[in-house]
Amino acid sequence: MQGYAGVIARYDGLVAMVREQYHAWDAPYWNLPSGGVEDGETPAAGAVRELREESGLHVSVDELELVWTTQTQAAGRVTSRSWNYVVDVADPAFAIDDPDGSVMAARWFTPEDAVRRLGRMPYPPIAVPAIHYLAHGTRGRAWRFTLSGDEWSW
């Protein structure tokens, strides 16, 4: 089972997003900075690292607030878990240093613009919880997504 971590980084009422090319999808999409948690790394440490690599924004683990978790399952087994945090950043300057080479750009968006862009993503386990948080501010939710055939349910 793979673990992932993501961050809603905020500055002056805006949300940081990265434009990323996913090999499994047809086109680049705007997403929140996120990625896989490495072996021996806590989800919070993975979130800090992914935020730094994908956007150049620097925060500490102590500044993060866990706002939702996500679990995916298929064929009756858990396939991934993710931890998603929110943080306010002091320095809004972007400096992408993505070792995967998949991040094409980083920008600040209003929460409403971020919701619109996330709504275009073809992967509900990433998009739906982020949209819900940005639109409603609900914290502490544990999302569960199940893949059956080609359809996601939650």
Side-chain angles (χ1 to χ4, degrees), residues 43-65:
V48 167
R49 178 185 47 76
E50 287 291 340
L51 179 64
R52 185 187 66 251
E53 289 175 355
E54 293 191 356
S55 70
L57 299 173
H58 292 267
V59 299
S60 71
V61 168
D62 296 338
E63 295 173 277
L64 297 176
E65 179 187 351

Side-chain angles (χ1 to χ4, degrees), residues 38-113:
E38 296 178 354
D39 289 340
E41 191 174 52
T42 66
V48 167
R49 178 185 47 76
E50 287 291 340
L51 179 64
R52 185 187 66 251
E53 289 175 355
E54 293 191 356
S55 70
L57 299 173
H58 292 267
V59 299
S60 71
V61 168
D62 296 338
E63 295 173 277
L64 297 176
E65 179 187 351
L66 182 65
V67 289
W68 79 84
T69 60
T70 304
Q71 175 180 292
T72 62
Q73 65 180 44
R77 67 178 187 83
V78 174
T79 55
S80 72
R81 292 184 190 273
S82 70
W83 296 263
N84 299 274
Y85 301 88
V86 66
V87 67
D88 292 313
V89 300
D91 181 356
F94 291 120
I96 299 167
D97 187 21
D98 180 22
D100 302 326
S102 60
V103 174
M104 305 160 65
R107 280 187 48 201
W108 292 103
F109 291 96
T110 65
E112 297 79 14
D113 285 341

